[in-house]
Amino acid sequence: MDSMLKFHRLLKLCFLLTALCAAEASYNVGVGIADTTGPVAEIVFMGYARPEQKGSGLHLRTFSRAFIIDDGEERFVFVSVDSAMIGHGVRLAVLKKLSGRFDDMYSDKNVMISGTHTHSAPGGYMMDVLFDLTTFGFVQESFNAIVNGITKSIERAHDALVPGRIFVTQGELMGANINRSPKAYLNNPETERAKYAYNVDKTMIQLQFIAADDRSLGVINWFPVHPTSMNNTNKLVSSDNVGYASILFEKTMNKNSMVGKGSFVAAFASTNLGDVSPNTRGPRCEFTGETCSGADTCPGKHEMCFASGPGRDMFESTSMIANKMYQKALELWHGGKAKEVTGPIRVIHQYIRMPEQEAEFFNETTGNVENVTGCLPAMGYSFAAGTTDGPGSFSFEQGTTTSNPLWNAIRDFLAAPSKEDVLCHGAKPILLATGRMVFPYEWQPQVVSTHVALLGDVIIAGVPGEFTTMSGRRLRNAIKGAMQNSASDDGVVVIAGLCNTYSDYVTTPEEYQIQRYEGASTIYGPHTLTIYLKQYKELVTALLARKSLVPGPQPPDLYSSHLISLVTPVLFDTPKWRHEFGDCLEHPAKVAGAGDTVTARFVAGHPRNNPMAGGSFLFIERLEDDESWKTVATDANWETKFIWKRTSIFLGSSEVTISWTIPDDVEPGEYRIRHNGNYRYILGGIYPYKGVSNHFEVVAFGSSRRKRYYFA
């Protein structure tokens, strides 16, 4: 009886402590992470639009990171995904899967999904024809991986909801970004440019999530930089600089957890990165190293103008930029200057058909107010020139404001722009009249998602594209103006980029006139930003007044169309003659140490047979005292690489090479490399296999004692 009484008293105390914690907490918060990697071989990457950039392995797994905030009346979900962008079809599929478990708890009103914009992940999931063109159409495997990963991350965040508090902090980060279109930026009014010290934003904004019991839950970080440190020659799947920054932060907070498995979740999300590059050495001619021309061209035949840096190669550059962001974020986390976020959560969402939108624009040149409209989508000539982060083809040049009869004839064969289209797009010579192209289905979206969330005096504006530096500044100022006295003077406005719909770039009207890549890719014409400024001011005004808006026109559900795919499936796998799947063909050196790279080569099946979602193609294992093997690294770790190679097209034979660069803090001991995979049998069925290398000894110091750049 006494023990029963003590138990009830203890239970009552636990309930009392929980209630006290909840009373101190501002919100209920939950975080979740899930794998979105998808097919790592023979699928074209999305971002650089180069059909020859097909995956041939894996360097960093991609993840979806979800954050749920609830104040008891409204709930808001923010998701950051290691993907090039997010299309309406992906978001719609996620919401449909969530409704199967949660009914209407999660909807297009309260779920904001943002792509980090990595250019090194498999594509083919966007559905709009232009975006899936270079991936040879729709890729179901890519689509499934992203949709399932996002859904799972939200479910995990939902299941992890606890009373908690949110803090916001900011800081300046130098040396991690430059403007890749400075000529266009300089076309903005001088009086406006004089308000800012730099031609890119240097401010890092960070939301920090703490449980009521003081457990660290997660962080969302916004800093403007393109995830293009990994250039268009890379063929290993990677979440690039922002993804690695997330991994570094999570490893610090999760201590002994494997990558992607810890409870603390850190998202480095996209913002107004449109004209912002991580390649801080700037553009140079590919072979000579000379400075490029003003149009970013080089005198040599077939010599591209590439931006690079700050490292010696793209891996080092990725690591250096990631470490800069991670170190700044960690400094902000421990800085003690964060302000607590308090106040209600409110969310508003509306779809709008951009070509039908109207707005007023003050023309500083004439001093007149003009009525302007959106245009049907169209891409300009300079779009085909690419950027200094990834040059294009066919000798197109940035800054092109005149058309070419030959290219116009090819354009008109596909779909000719009307006189109204040409007039509407102004300085942009139309290379592709995508708004007129309807075969086999929509080429670019006409209906876009506009989304705003209010968390106390923090506003997150989810925008459906890549806003340039000055476009983002104007939008932040417009939102602050709409907030007026509804927020404190130190209220924070966040531009969350590439959310819910992808509609390319958004430049200022002045930048548009220069027709750099970003202006040529501003698809709704010179006043795209003007329309968005009006729309987001209306959203914020309605949000603060608690007025509901009509949901707007629903975008087409392209998934229900007969989506075209020219991607060949994996038909069968055959092992190398006189070998079995998993046989190790090349073993690591018998002794290695910190700084050395060990490799093993295996007979393999095709990685597309199973993307190993939540798992790994490789395991670096250490022998423990009890004779068991402990995993110390997987294919999600920076120091490993998984490289796939087809050895016979006709026989369907392939092999993988696994490498591990041994970190400086390695624990000496006996190690081995394990490979897990799946093969497709010629008569049907997919079957698992595994292989292991010989054991090798790891000592404290390797043949190269110098500290490697890869590790934080």
Side-chain angles (χ1 to χ4, degrees):
M1 182 66 75
D2 288 341
S3 60
M4 197 62 145
L5 184 62
K6 288 179 180 178
F7 172 76
H8 282 294
R9 285 176 178 172
L10 182 62
L11 192 63
K12 186 176 180 180
L13 179 61
C14 288
F15 280 124
L16 180 61
L17 289 173
T18 302
L20 286 172
C21 287
E24 292 179 3
S26 303
Y27 308 102
N28 282 324
V29 296
V31 301
I33 185 171
D35 193 342
T36 60
T37 303
V40 303
E42 295 191 320
I43 299 297
V44 178
F45 289 171
M46 180 63 193
Y48 290 115
R50 294 178 70 90
E52 64 270 27
Q53 194 187 11
K54 286 185 178 181
S56 62
L58 175 63
H59 184 219
L60 291 176
R61 282 195 171 264
T62 61
F63 293 96
S64 171
R65 295 172 170 90
F67 303 79
I68 299 178
I69 310 164
D70 191 311
D71 68 351
E73 293 186 19
E74 276 205 72
R75 177 168 293 196
F76 172 59
V77 183
F78 181 82
V79 183
S80 178
V81 192
D82 292 326
S83 64
M85 62 277 293
I86 291 297
H88 172 72
V90 168
R91 184 168 178 249
L92 184 63
V94 169
L95 294 175
K96 284 181 178 178
K97 288 178 75 73
L98 290 172
S99 67
R101 178 181 169 188
F102 303 110
D103 295 324
D104 60 353
M105 179 178 290
Y106 299 109
S107 67
D108 53 8
K109 179 189 174 184
N110 67 352
V111 177
M112 182 185 292
I113 307 176
S114 171
T116 62
H117 204 37
T118 177
H119 286 43
S120 291
Y125 55 87
M126 291 295 293
M127 301 187 200
D128 290 284
V129 174
L130 185 65
F131 303 140
D132 285 353
L133 195 62
T134 54
T135 61
F136 302 100
F138 181 69
V139 181
Q140 187 73 54
E141 300 153 73
S142 299
F143 181 81
N144 289 347
I146 290 177
V147 169
N148 293 340
I150 295 172
T151 304
K152 189 170 291 185
S153 69
I154 295 174
E155 290 175 339
R156 287 173 175 170
H158 176 97
D159 294 338
L161 278 166
V162 293
R165 303 162 73 188
I166 304 173
F167 297 84
V168 64
T169 184
Q170 303 181 56
E172 195 172 77
L173 173 59
M174 306 300 293
N177 60 1
I178 63 169
N179 195 305
R180 70 185 187 188
S181 288
K183 185 178 179 181
Y185 179 87
L186 287 171
N187 208 45
N188 291 307
E190 184 177 357
T191 53
E192 182 180 34
R193 288 186 281 113
K195 298 175 183 176
Y196 304 98
Y198 309 103
N199 63 1
V200 293
D201 288 333
K202 301 291 186 180
T203 300
M204 177 180 282
I205 301 175
Q206 188 162 282
L207 283 184
Q208 302 174 172
F209 300 85
I210 308 292
D213 60 5
D214 285 334
R215 282 183 299 116
S216 300
L217 298 177
V219 64
I220 311 175
N221 183 293
W222 290 274
F223 178 76
V225 67
H226 253 77
T228 48
S229 292
M230 301 298 291
N231 63 41
N232 62 17
T233 67
N234 172 51
K235 295 186 178 181
L236 299 181
V237 170
S238 171
S239 53
D240 213 291
N241 47 45
V242 292
Y244 187 34
S246 292
I247 290 171
L248 288 169
F249 206 135
E250 287 167 352
K251 284 181 68 176
T252 297
M253 303 301 289
N254 288 321
K255 302 302 180 186
N256 297 321
S257 297
M258 300 304 296
V259 175
K261 304 297 184 182
S263 59
F264 185 92
V265 178
F268 283 69
S270 62
T271 179
N272 56 319
L273 48 65
D275 54 356
V276 188
S277 170
N279 298 307
T280 53
R281 280 212 298 262
R284 294 287 186 274
C285 291
E286 185 178 9
F287 305 125
T288 64
E290 295 178 0
T291 303
C292 305
S293 72
D296 291 329
T297 59
C298 293
K301 189 176 182 181
H302 304 303
E303 188 176 16
M304 296 289 189
C305 176
F306 265 105
S308 64
R312 294 163 295 177
D313 58 36
M314 59 183 168
F315 291 97
E316 184 175 27
S317 294
T318 300
S319 177
M320 291 174 73
I321 296 298
N323 271 280
K324 280 179 176 288
M325 290 189 287
Y326 153 68
Q327 293 289 352
K328 186 63 185 183
L330 194 63
E331 175 190 319
L332 292 175
W333 179 269
H334 293 300
K337 296 181 180 179
K339 175 191 172 186
E340 184 166 5
V341 177
T342 58
I345 294 175
R346 299 175 193 170
V347 189
I348 194 165
H349 178 272
Q350 189 177 47
Y351 291 110
I352 58 171
R353 191 177 300 277
M354 283 297 289
E356 297 177 359
Q357 298 302 303
E358 298 178 352
E360 291 184 345
F361 173 70
F362 177 71
N363 190 322
E364 290 200 3
T365 303
T366 64
N368 297 326
V369 175
E370 302 172 1
N371 293 319
V372 297
T373 64
C375 311
L376 281 174
M379 303 297 284
Y381 272 60
S382 296
F383 145 75
T387 72
T388 53
D389 287 340
S393 306
F394 301 110
S395 299
F396 285 98
E397 295 182 6
Q398 293 199 70
T400 300
T401 54
T402 57
S403 60
N404 177 290
L406 173 62
W407 288 113
N408 283 354
I410 296 172
R411 173 200 67 194
D412 293 348
F413 176 77
L414 297 170
S418 68
K419 291 181 179 179
E420 291 78 11
D421 294 337
V422 173
L423 182 64
C424 187
H425 282 276
K428 179 200 294 176
I430 297 175
L431 181 64
L432 290 173
T434 52
R436 300 286 176 186
M437 300 164 79
V438 295
F439 178 80
Y441 34 84
E442 179 183 83
W443 277 60
Q444 282 182 303
Q446 296 188 31
V447 177
V448 300
S449 161
T450 60
H451 209 171
V452 173
L454 174 72
L455 315 175
D457 56 1
V458 174
I459 277 198
I460 302 174
V463 298
E466 302 177 56
F467 277 52
T468 61
T469 298
M470 194 63 84
S471 292
R473 289 168 175 171
R474 290 187 189 179
L475 181 58
R476 281 195 293 266
N477 290 335
I479 289 173
K480 285 182 179 178
M483 292 173 73
Q484 295 177 351
N485 297 324
S486 299
S488 61
D489 293 337
D490 56 351
V492 177
V493 177
V494 174
I495 306 297
L498 298 102
C499 285
N500 305 336
T501 314
Y502 183 67
S503 58
D504 290 86
Y505 284 75
V506 181
T507 63
T508 67
E510 295 86 354
E511 292 166 345
Y512 183 91
Q513 301 305 312
I514 304 301
Q515 281 298 290
R516 295 275 296 178
Y517 173 84
E518 295 83 10
S521 304
T522 297
I523 66 176
Y524 304 118
H527 291 290
T528 301
L529 176 62
T530 310
I531 292 167
Y532 281 133
L533 295 180
K534 175 192 174 187
Q535 172 65 13
Y536 280 89
K537 283 191 286 187
E538 290 179 354
L539 288 177
V540 172
T541 301
L543 187 73
L544 296 174
R546 290 189 173 273
K547 291 182 179 179
S548 60
L549 297 176
V550 295
Q554 279 288 324
D557 180 6
L558 297 180
Y559 193 68
S560 61
S561 306
H562 296 290
L563 296 170
I564 293 175
S565 178
L566 302 178
V567 177
T568 55
V570 179
L571 299 176
F572 61 89
D573 293 295
T574 303
K576 185 177 181 178
W577 178 249
R578 292 183 175 177
H579 283 279
E580 300 292 334
F581 290 107
D583 282 358
C584 189
L585 303 174
E586 177 185 333
H587 293 275
K590 293 182 179 180
V591 180
D596 291 338
T597 298
V598 293
T599 61
R601 186 162 51 91
F602 297 88
V603 177
H606 202 296
R608 283 173 57 193
N609 293 328
N610 183 347
M612 300 292 187
S616 178
F617 290 108
L618 69 89
F619 299 85
I620 310 299
E621 298 176 324
R622 184 181 66 245
L623 185 63
E624 299 291 273
D625 292 338
D626 62 357
E627 299 299 313
S628 65
W629 289 95
K630 178 181 179 180
T631 299
V632 299
T634 68
D635 60 17
N637 286 75
W638 174 267
E639 59 266 29
T640 64
K641 290 187 178 74
F642 173 82
I643 302 172
W644 175 85
K645 178 183 177 182
R646 186 182 287 282
T647 56
S648 173
I649 296 176
F650 300 107
L651 297 178
S653 301
S654 60
E655 62 185 39
V656 296
T657 300
I658 295 170
S659 68
W660 177 46
T661 301
I662 303 172
D664 293 325
D665 60 353
V666 67
E667 183 178 327
E670 190 173 344
Y671 285 75
R672 70 179 186 182
I673 297 174
R674 176 160 60 93
H675 164 50
N676 283 11
N678 289 261
Y679 70 90
R680 186 180 293 270
Y681 186 46
I682 193 169
L683 298 180
I686 296 175
Y687 301 93
Y689 69 86
K690 65 179 179 180
V692 294
S693 72
N694 289 343
H695 302 182
F696 58 96
E697 183 184 0
V698 172
V699 296
F701 294 102
S703 58
S704 174
R705 289 174 179 250
R706 65 182 179 84
K707 185 170 183 178
R708 300 289 175 153
Y709 61 78
Y710 321 117
F711 312 113

